[in-house]
Amino acid sequence: MSPWSALAAQLAGQIPCGYTAAGPACTEPTAAAALALCAYDSARYRRAINRARNWLADGQQTNGSVGPNYQHDEPGWPTSWGLLLEASNSTKQLVHEWLEQPVAPASILVEQPDPPIQSVNPGQPSRPTKPFSVTAALDWITATRGMQMPLQPGVAHNVELVGWSWVTGTHTWLEPTCLAVLALKAHGLGDHARCREGVTVLFDRILPNGGANYGNTIVLGQELRAHIQPTGLLLLALSDEPDREGKRDKSAAWLQAELGTETAAASLSFGLLGLATLSIRPRYALDWLEQAAKRIAERDQSPYRNALLLWTAAVMQSPNYSIWPGRAGGMR
Amino acid sequence: MSHSFQPVTNDCWPCGTPKSNTEVRSAECGMRNEGTLQQPHQAPNTKHQPANSSLPPLASLPLPQRPTPNPQSPTIDRRTLLVAGGSALVAAGGYFGVQEVLAERATVFIAKDQRYGGPLARSIQEGLLATGFDTAWVRGKRVLLKPNLVEPTKRCPHMTTHPAVVIAAAEVFRRWGAEVLVGEGPGHVRDTEMALEESTLGEALRSEHIAFADLNHEETGWRENRGNASKLAGFHFPSSIITADLVVSLPKLKTHHWAGMTAALKNMYGTIPGIRYGWPKNVLHYNGIPQTVFDINASLPRTIAIVDAITCMEGDGPIMGSPKQLGLLLIGANPTAVDATAARIMGLRPERISYLQLADQRLGPLAERHIAQRGEPWWPLLNPFVILDDPHLQSLRDKPSVLVT
């Protein structure tokens, strides 16, 4: 059994999972784990993937949003993760559990059984009362807006552009905007006005020397530092956009120079996924991923970080794999 | 932090009635009761006065100056004063005399000539003992050390609390029988593993087998806002904070291009979970930086402060500034008093820093005469920090000194 297949089996048994091995189940790690299993072997791990989908569906609010965990219905930024999972899960071999009861399709019969479930939320329902509503989630995403602000002296980015915020009623920031743009594109809404506005925001938030951080560029005359994780997400969101000013490619060059064997798991994963969307696959990427997985195994065994690593490793090994099936072009 | 908005410095903020936080802490935190809680300085019907309305004009405030000898901490408690001596005091000195006597006292310890490779644990232990820390109380207690890891990068080690200070503090509390863990919710980076590795704190914690709590992603519990300076009804605090018997603010001393300075009180922004408040924690910004700094500190469990002022940051802090060598550790049971002392050393006027204005006599004292100095006196250590050439920052000192544009 390869290290990655062992990790996949481990993750399948942990869904729904959290940011830490002992922590509560959360939306983002659960969706990331299911996305990783979709990429790694969707047929083998169908039940675990569906368990994640059911868990997310059960946590979906009537307005379509999904909160960060069962403890909190708000803020709704993890809604994008639910949409990404549904988009990646749209292949026909995947069947909602609530539909599979009468007769199991033939493909299910040949599956290996999942490992025993190690639920971190034993009190939570194992079956959803409703399916995840993609329509409601998309409605929520398209209706949600970061706060506009008056022009600020000393702040270089365009504060009047509206993307998505982490929390309702606050300013537009980079990662929630990347996730929302990705979610809209994954569901074929790349031309939606909100998606186009989000893309404009993202180009505006790229640092002059390439890369991005949480969403500020120049403050009081100083260009801020770029960070790996948001830059990777930025490339994922902008990979199919025209790069008229060369900002995206400059960001990719910055990212290539930053990644290495010591890069932390989440940053490494998003960085490599972002580069992969531009057909850039660093020669030692798989080695870096294995090193990162080894560190996680020795330290906190975070299901979230393991999920990101597995997902990225699967993509690195499958050049034609499309992360977002509904998106024009998909993963190159 | 690099916030894309102007800080709220002159908005209306509810004054509120002090919730006796200081009294509670004095009874429970293991520090000897050094003083008393001052009475509300504003009447309830002034609830929405501007924050600065009760303050004297800036020009009338005195320059930072050599401290006068500190009065000893009161040897009789507040209740005794009120019951037995209150009427006599009022007769003799009037209301302001009573207010002065009842004002909270605190002790701040300063150690100079400190190095990251030096015997920091010895200095920290000496400082805690000098400021009245009850070593017997902490035995078996859960102590959370809260460093500042806002946006770590190996290219800028003077931005974050040095691991040597964290490890030294852990050593002292462990020696006294406490259960120690380190917790932080970085404000600008979601990848906490990256923050730990870039700050080199991760390796240091592993080598000492000290647990780390990612405060951005933990389970949370709701706690009422006991400060009421902002409109927030309460805070979602991470479980590691809620279950801690003592939270030790371990900040890096830095200038802050919106708030003026950041040390023990502002560092507590990192106790707020990003999963609920965002990266940056923009909910707090929208409710006013000074107000939420005050409110968070008023709502936390018991806190003390150990400030890494060895290699600091000046200029465009808290992220893009330059290193500034001071070689100091500041230690105290009262983070407000510690911050006030740090501000004086930086050449800033604590009473002009908005969140310290709010904290004054509610969370602790700002006035020199109410802060007993232990270790080194602050005045010989005065070493003005470079601050940006911006009116809201230059007004924090009386005379512009070194300007950065």
Side-chain angles (χ1 to χ4, degrees):
Chain A
M1 185 180 259
S2 78
W4 295 116
S5 61
L7 193 58
Q10 178 184 322
L11 272 175
Q14 289 176 312
I15 286 176
C17 54
Y19 291 99
T20 60
C26 294
T27 302
E28 184 181 36
T30 298
L35 280 162
L37 295 176
C38 280
Y40 189 76
D41 191 340
S42 59
R44 180 183 174 92
Y45 292 111
R46 180 197 52 77
R47 288 182 185 171
I49 293 164
N50 282 345
R51 199 161 63 243
R53 298 174 66 208
N54 293 346
W55 191 85
L56 264 65
D58 201 62
Q60 189 176 30
Q61 303 302 299
T62 52
N63 67 4
S65 70
V66 185
N69 51 36
Y70 259 108
Q71 197 183 8
H72 299 296
D73 299 336
E74 293 179 339
W77 61 266
T79 307
S80 296
W81 279 100
L83 284 166
L84 291 173
L85 175 57
E86 288 301 312
S88 285
N89 190 48
S90 60
T91 49
K92 289 180 181 175
Q93 74 267 26
L94 297 166
V95 182
H96 283 284
E97 281 190 6
W98 56 85
L99 296 178
E100 74 181 50
Q101 298 309 313
V103 181
S107 62
I108 292 174
L109 299 177
V110 298
E111 283 185 4
Q112 299 291 326
D114 286 336
I117 299 171
Q118 301 163 9
S119 176
V120 291
N121 265 359
Q124 298 303 330
S126 58
R127 289 183 180 281
T129 54
K130 59 185 184 343
F132 187 91
S133 171
V134 169
T135 303
L138 287 171
D139 285 347
W140 187 85
I141 290 279
T142 52
T144 304
R145 302 170 63 83
M147 290 288 282
Q148 258 185 334
M149 292 199 310
L151 290 174
Q152 302 285 320
V155 174
H157 74 258
N158 187 341
V159 295
E160 293 180 326
L161 292 174
V162 174
W164 283 265
S165 57
W166 290 105
V167 182
T168 303
T170 60
H171 192 45
T172 291
W173 296 104
L174 190 114
E175 288 194 39
T177 301
C178 286
L179 290 169
V181 165
L182 280 167
L184 291 174
K185 287 183 175 181
H187 286 274
L189 294 177
D191 292 329
H192 192 283
R194 286 292 292 128
C195 188
R196 302 323 305 160
E197 197 172 7
V199 167
T200 306
V201 167
L202 294 179
F203 273 112
D204 181 65
R205 301 291 183 101
I206 296 177
L207 292 157
N209 286 311
N213 54 36
Y214 53 92
N216 272 340
T217 55
I218 298 172
V219 176
L220 299 176
Q222 285 226 60
E223 180 176 342
L224 304 182
R225 295 183 185 89
H227 303 155
I228 293 173
Q229 177 168 318
T231 303
L233 272 163
L234 180 95
L235 297 186
L236 275 166
L238 298 182
S239 63
D240 56 352
E241 301 291 338
D243 185 26
R244 295 189 184 92
E245 298 176 39
K247 288 180 168 183
R248 188 190 61 205
D249 288 348
K250 195 184 277 187
S251 299
W254 178 85
L255 198 50
Q256 278 184 277
E258 288 294 312
L259 296 179
T261 188
E262 298 296 325
T263 308
S267 294
L268 178 64
S269 299
F270 285 116
L272 289 174
L273 287 171
L275 289 176
T277 61
L278 299 174
S279 301
I280 301 169
R281 291 164 191 269
R283 183 178 175 186
Y284 299 109
L286 278 171
D287 290 340
W288 299 342
L289 289 164
E290 286 180 13
Q291 288 296 318
K294 191 177 171 189
R295 289 194 297 268
I296 298 301
E298 292 168 353
R299 296 176 191 173
D300 65 355
Q301 301 182 38
S302 159
Y304 171 64
R305 295 190 182 103
N306 278 335
L308 294 177
L309 291 171
L310 177 68
W311 186 17
T312 310
V315 170
M316 291 293 123
Q317 294 177 87
S318 310
N320 295 319
Y321 177 77
S322 174
I323 292 183
W324 326 124
R327 176 182 177 182
M331 171 73 79
R332 287 180 290 171
Chain B
M1 279 190 253
S2 306
H3 311 304
S4 57
F5 61 92
Q6 285 295 100
V8 182
T9 54
N10 292 306
D11 284 359
C12 290
W13 51 272
C15 172
T17 303
K19 301 284 177 101
S20 300
N21 294 333
T22 311
E23 290 176 325
V24 171
R25 286 177 192 173
S26 297
E28 296 177 0
C29 80
M31 307 300 297
R32 292 182 194 127
N33 191 341
E34 295 182 318
T36 56
L37 183 72
Q38 188 179 342
Q39 296 299 304
H41 75 279
Q42 287 180 308
N45 61 3
T46 62
K47 194 173 177 71
H48 293 289
Q49 280 185 347
N52 293 330
S53 64
S54 62
L55 299 173
L58 294 183
S60 69
L61 291 167
L63 280 164
Q65 50 191 277
R66 194 181 193 86
T68 53
N70 272 302
Q72 293 298 310
S73 298
T75 53
I76 50 177
D77 66 18
R78 177 182 171 214
R79 180 174 298 176
T80 307
L81 272 173
L82 286 171
V83 173
S87 57
L89 281 167
V90 168
Y95 171 75
F96 292 105
V98 173
Q99 192 174 47
E100 178 66 23
V101 172
L102 296 183
E104 185 179 9
R105 263 72 174 177
T107 305
V108 174
F109 175 89
I110 304 175
K112 70 175 183 180
D113 298 331
Q114 300 296 300
R115 294 178 295 107
Y116 293 122
L120 295 176
R122 193 170 68 194
S123 299
I124 290 170
Q125 176 169 315
E126 186 184 342
L128 288 169
L129 293 173
T131 53
F133 193 83
D134 183 350
T135 59
W137 173 86
V138 83
R139 178 171 297 280
K141 295 290 195 295
R142 189 176 169 88
V143 174
L144 185 137
L145 308 180
K146 163 63 182 75
N148 180 335
L149 303 180
V150 58
E151 188 185 320
T153 167
K154 287 175 180 166
R155 293 161 185 148
C156 186
H158 54 285
M159 187 206 306
T160 49
T161 308
H162 196 285
V165 177
V166 181
I167 298 302
E171 182 184 332
V172 171
F173 288 107
R174 279 179 158 181
R175 192 181 297 156
W176 289 336
E179 178 195 346
V180 174
L181 79 159
V182 174
E184 161 70 320
H188 288 178
V189 288
R190 284 228 296 152
D191 186 350
T192 308
E193 183 195 7
M194 190 74 167
L196 284 170
E197 297 317 304
E198 285 291 313
S199 66
T200 70
L201 180 60
E203 186 180 348
L205 296 180
R206 284 191 296 277
S207 69
E208 297 297 324
H209 306 288
I210 299 171
F212 177 82
D214 179 352
L215 304 183
N216 274 333
H217 294 103
E218 275 193 345
E219 273 186 287
T220 59
W222 175 258
R223 289 295 178 269
E224 181 192 358
N225 178 356
R226 295 193 292 177
N228 291 324
S230 74
K231 294 175 183 172
L232 293 172
F235 297 97
H236 298 275
F237 282 120
S239 56
S240 292
I241 292 290
I242 288 172
T243 58
D245 296 299
L246 179 68
V247 178
V248 183
S249 185
L250 279 173
K252 172 72 83 178
L253 183 61
K254 299 186 282 186
T255 52
H256 191 293
H257 60 206
W258 300 131
M261 68 173 286
T262 172
L265 295 179
K266 179 72 172 65
N267 181 41
M268 293 307 196
Y269 257 35
T271 63
I272 298 296
I275 197 170
R276 289 280 312 183
Y277 293 79
W279 288 266
K281 295 160 186 178
N282 214 194
V283 176
L284 305 179
H285 306 151
Y286 270 84
N287 283 278
I289 293 177
Q291 289 84 348
T292 49
V293 168
F294 171 77
D295 284 349
I296 290 166
N297 279 277
S299 306
L300 280 167
R302 299 151 294 282
T303 56
I304 66 172
I306 300 171
V307 180
D308 171 6
I310 297 175
T311 303
C312 311
M313 179 181 277
E314 65 179 0
D316 192 5
I319 306 298
M320 302 302 293
S322 307
K324 167 90 170 178
Q325 193 64 28
L326 279 191
L328 304 179
L329 284 175
L330 283 78
I331 297 167
N334 189 300
T336 301
V338 171
D339 277 8
T341 303
R344 291 189 173 95
I345 291 171
M346 298 168 81
L348 304 177
R349 301 272 296 272
E351 70 278 6
R352 294 186 181 182
I353 294 166
S354 299
Y355 65 79
L356 289 180
Q357 288 175 4
L358 290 170
D360 188 15
Q361 292 306 324
R362 294 172 185 165
L363 300 180
L366 298 188
E368 285 178 63
R369 62 184 180 280
H370 295 151
I371 300 174
Q373 210 74 54
R374 299 287 183 266
E376 305 295 328
W378 73 265
W379 175 254
L381 303 171
L382 172 64
N383 192 342
F385 279 41
V386 171
I387 55 175
L388 297 181
D389 184 14
D390 188 289
H392 86 273
L393 296 172
Q394 289 295 330
S395 67
L396 302 179
R397 55 172 51 139
D398 289 285
K399 294 178 184 173
S401 54
V402 185
L403 301 181
V404 172
T405 57

